Amino acid sequence: MRTRLDVLICAGAACLSAHSAAVRDALAREIEAHGLSDEVRIVETGCMGPCELGPVMLVYPDGAFYIHVTPEDAAEIVEEHFLKGRPVERLLWTTPEARRIAEQRKQVPFFAKQRKVVLKNCGLIDPENIEEYIATDGYAALGKVLTEMTPTAVAETIAASGLRGRGGAGFPTGKKWGFVAGAPGPEKYVVCNADEGDPGAFMDRALLEGDPHAVLEGMAIAAYAVGANHGYIYVRAEYPLAINRVEAALAAAHRMGLLGNNIMETGFSFDIEVRMGAGAFVCGEETALIASLEGHRGQPRPRPPYPAVEGLFGKPTLINNVETFGNVRHIILNGADWFRSIGTESSPGTKVFALSGKVVNTGLVEVPMGTTLRELIFEIGGGIPDGKEFKAVQTGGPSGGCIPAEYLDTPIDYESLQELGSIMGSGGMIVMDADNCMVNLARFFLEFTANESCGKCIPCRVGLPAMLEILQRITRGDGRADDIDKLERLGKTIKTASLCGLGQTAPNPVLSTLRYFRDEYEEHLVGRCRAKECTALIRYWIDPEACRGCDQCRRACPVGAIAGTPGNPPYAIDAEACVRCGTCREVCPFGAVEILDRR
């Protein structure tokens, strides 16, 4: 029976953590109480994109997009909108351009410049309902290759499309498929790398949660092209929702004969297993991932031989990441020329980014390659909150680099980012404003990569802790005159001499911040942090003219470092006892607490 309204409720990880399940239950109760069960259908979907605004909800066909919905809003939504046809204005996504949202992906600036290819179904279908996926041409591409195309033709189509690996390095996908297809031996494997370990990255997780069948179909097409009959999805255990939805999708695909033996009665057989990783960042590197899949410690090995020749269990192995496989069905159905019409000549197609940090609209976005950083951050992302000044954007996670404001009009592609000292990476993008200290940021990322080093090669095992020690010294105000030169020499040596991509890219945050923000490093050497973020270089002070003696700062101080008598200002902070947590500044209603340089 066709319903009058479909209520799409985001059930991605971010909205679930914001209690979207409680919203769903409350709506279901109200719909039943008003006798609308035959007219209004609730559908739980994957991530819709604007994670900051969750729980979010989209009502079709009128396109009303509700944000920050709570269970208490359910009765009003059902009575006013579902019964009377009057959307609840106070819950609609308000933008300068559109108060009433008539079409989700055109009128709201967050969606206007996006091009949904990989994320086409995310937020629009129930990821646990295979029939909804099939209704969007799901598994049609697999049917096409199995009945109309030879394996060689499939690989050639992917090569002609110009698709490059979306896991970070940007290696031509068709070329990799050709290497595996041409490798000798009857037994081959296809592996999906879902070990998304970058801080601030959640692209692969969202696709697995929101459209798992697209990844399974892409893997099956790849297996047909390279001659494999078995595949693995290697996903970190920290993604329980993604794992559950992938396993549900696998079961559904098996029931319908879309995976397993004799798929679609064509004689082609292919099966997939899920394997969970323990969260080691180095296992995102393909040879370390293979070692982990085989039950060994996740450590990279020298190449050659490459996995395409000698991979999992010593057999030729194709490894692509989640987003790469997510592109495959669209290329097969629409053609290589269609894919090349999107993006740039050297970087065709779209790219999914996890936009986070100091930006108004955080969340998941997909844009054509060649979109500028300015368009992504200011038009889609809505700019910097509270009118603060943009300072830099970190692309590529802990393996990437920081790009300053002067390069905001740079088109996003593999080559342009590399020229600026950064990388595309898997798609993490962290925006920073003037309150961010670039030296402390470099220290944060280097601490992460140093802790995640597998320790197999000396440059990474010894070099990264040596760089980290220098950065820690600088951020606590004990920097030495030659520390900056030492950081540069160490960083360049580690990039050149490390065994795998972790070590080869780990110095990028340091080297890029030295390139563009060297003056901040020099200021730290004389005991000043302009962003007032390095706690060892600052002190808190109460302005006697502004203090009103309200006593809130003294009562909130966790270490008793503030002295004063209620109603008898000014109060004073004991600099020796203060731990510089900032609580006093947060609770002061008069703005009397200031942050000063330590000296």
Side-chain angles (χ1 to χ4, degrees):
M1 180 177 179
R2 186 174 180 82
T3 54
R4 177 169 57 86
L5 294 175
D6 284 340
V7 182
L8 309 183
I9 299 178
C10 176
C15 282
L16 283 175
S17 67
H19 310 296
S20 64
V23 173
R24 172 204 63 203
D25 294 342
L27 280 169
R29 288 192 297 269
E30 292 294 332
I31 288 169
E32 184 176 2
H34 286 80
L36 297 175
S37 298
D38 292 335
E39 299 181 47
V40 181
R41 181 176 71 120
I42 294 177
V43 179
E44 288 188 282
T45 74
C47 178
M48 294 184 183
C51 302
E52 181 78 13
L53 304 178
V56 296
M57 185 177 85
L58 179 65
V59 182
Y60 269 162
D62 58 21
F65 199 119
Y66 290 117
I67 62 173
H68 297 308
V69 184
T70 67
E72 292 72 28
D73 297 321
E76 184 180 3
I77 291 172
V78 171
E79 291 174 8
E80 291 296 315
H81 188 172
F82 300 171
L83 272 177
K84 302 175 183 178
R86 301 186 298 215
V88 181
E89 294 280 336
R90 65 181 181 82
L91 296 174
L92 290 175
W93 191 350
T94 304
T95 71
E97 290 76 12
R99 174 63 177 168
R100 291 284 298 275
I101 300 171
E103 190 174 344
Q104 174 202 11
R105 290 180 173 172
K106 287 186 179 178
Q107 290 197 11
V108 180
F110 180 81
F111 294 110
K113 285 205 168 185
Q114 293 194 51
R115 177 77 180 265
K116 301 283 188 177
V117 176
V118 174
L119 299 181
K120 177 184 176 183
N121 286 339
C122 287
L124 295 180
I125 68 169
D126 179 354
E128 297 188 28
N129 186 336
I130 191 172
E131 293 180 355
E132 292 198 11
Y133 178 71
I134 291 173
T136 64
D137 294 326
Y139 291 106
L142 179 60
K144 178 179 179 179
V145 302
L146 293 182
T147 59
E148 301 177 19
M149 302 175 71
T150 65
T152 300
V154 175
E156 289 175 347
T157 299
I158 299 301
S161 74
L163 174 65
R164 299 172 66 170
R166 297 302 197 246
F171 190 82
T173 302
K175 184 178 290 187
K176 182 182 281 191
W177 287 24
F179 290 155
V180 179
E187 191 173 7
K188 299 176 183 179
Y189 295 98
V190 170
V191 175
C192 176
N193 183 351
D195 189 63
E196 184 177 51
D198 294 10
F202 47 92
M203 302 76 56
D204 292 350
R205 185 197 74 199
L207 184 55
L208 290 174
E209 290 174 356
D211 197 13
H213 286 285
V215 180
L216 304 187
E217 185 175 10
M219 291 180 67
I221 292 169
Y224 175 74
V226 304
N229 296 115
H230 203 87
Y232 293 91
I233 298 177
Y234 184 88
V235 57
R236 51 184 44 226
E238 294 96 325
Y239 286 178
L241 180 62
I243 293 168
N244 289 342
R245 288 183 177 166
V246 167
E247 290 180 338
L250 285 170
H254 276 107
R255 286 196 302 270
M256 299 192 74
L258 300 169
L259 283 177
N261 294 322
N262 194 23
I263 296 173
M264 299 183 184
E265 299 182 352
T266 61
F268 172 67
S269 299
F270 179 66
D271 217 338
I272 300 173
E273 295 181 52
V274 175
R275 289 288 182 269
M276 287 181 281
F281 182 62
V282 73
C283 286
E285 196 278 337
E286 57 185 18
T287 61
L289 184 155
I290 287 171
S292 180
L293 268 177
E294 292 175 340
H296 307 301
R297 181 179 178 182
Q299 287 187 316
R301 60 167 171 78
R303 298 176 298 176
Y306 291 92
V309 176
E310 186 178 321
L312 186 62
F313 308 123
K315 307 298 182 182
T317 303
L318 172 67
I319 303 179
N320 285 133
N321 90 317
V322 172
E323 186 181 342
T324 308
F325 283 124
N327 275 288
V328 170
R329 80 178 188 104
H330 301 288
I331 295 171
I332 296 298
L333 289 178
N334 297 292
D337 290 341
W338 165 83
F339 191 77
R340 277 201 169 275
S341 71
I342 307 168
T344 68
E345 184 176 352
S346 63
S347 300
T350 62
K351 181 71 188 78
V352 181
F353 291 98
L355 191 61
S356 61
K358 304 292 185 65
V359 64
V360 173
N361 299 324
T362 62
L364 204 64
V365 302
E366 183 176 2
V367 295
M369 291 282 198
T371 300
T372 66
L373 290 168
R374 186 184 302 276
E375 290 174 305
L376 185 56
I377 295 167
F378 286 90
E379 296 185 32
I380 296 173
I384 314 304
D386 304 320
K388 291 188 176 181
E389 181 183 355
F390 170 85
K391 188 172 192 177
V393 59
Q394 170 88 3
T395 68
S399 300
C402 293
I403 301 172
E406 61 190 283
Y407 296 107
L408 273 172
D409 293 313
T410 299
I412 301 170
D413 61 30
Y414 291 97
E415 286 75 23
S416 63
L417 294 181
Q418 193 169 9
E419 289 173 6
L420 295 177
S422 189
I423 60 172
M424 181 80 70
S426 57
M429 188 169 286
I430 303 173
V431 180
M432 288 154 280
D433 65 13
D435 293 336
N436 289 108
C437 170
M438 306 311 291
V439 184
N440 194 48
L441 181 88
R443 180 205 57 77
F444 168 79
F445 281 119
L446 200 74
E447 184 174 53
F448 175 84
T449 48
N451 287 336
E452 292 291 337
S453 172
C454 74
K456 185 170 184 177
C457 72
I458 291 174
C460 186
R461 182 179 73 240
V462 178
L464 293 183
M467 290 184 72
L468 179 60
E469 182 183 3
I470 295 173
L471 285 168
Q472 289 171 334
R473 190 164 64 232
I474 292 175
T475 54
R476 67 172 181 259
D478 298 325
R480 302 166 187 168
D482 61 346
D483 276 345
I484 295 177
D485 291 335
K486 283 183 179 179
L487 279 173
E488 283 189 311
R489 288 198 303 271
L490 277 169
K492 291 175 181 177
T493 300
I494 294 166
K495 281 179 68 72
T496 302
S498 290
L499 173 62
C500 81
L502 187 152
Q504 292 163 8
T505 57
N508 282 345
V510 180
L511 295 176
S512 66
T513 50
L514 280 171
R515 177 178 175 181
Y516 299 118
F517 301 96
R518 194 182 191 91
D519 53 344
E520 290 198 29
Y521 283 84
E522 293 169 347
E523 290 173 356
H524 278 67
L525 293 183
V526 296
R528 178 174 180 251
C529 174
R530 70 171 67 173
K532 303 294 189 291
E533 190 175 81
C534 296
T535 56
L537 301 182
I538 62 173
R539 60 187 176 95
Y540 284 83
W541 176 74
I542 298 177
D543 182 357
E545 298 296 325
C547 179
R548 298 292 181 268
C550 68
D551 202 46
Q552 290 199 36
C553 61
R554 186 190 64 81
R555 287 186 281 115
C557 180
V559 294
I562 301 177
T565 304
N568 187 25
Y571 278 50
I573 299 174
D574 182 347
E576 294 298 320
C578 177
V579 294
R580 296 174 288 278
C581 64
T583 303
C584 57
R585 193 164 187 261
E586 293 174 4
V587 301
C588 178
F590 306 107
V593 182
E594 299 181 9
I595 305 176
L596 305 178
D597 292 335
R598 182 186 63 183
R599 52 187 172 82

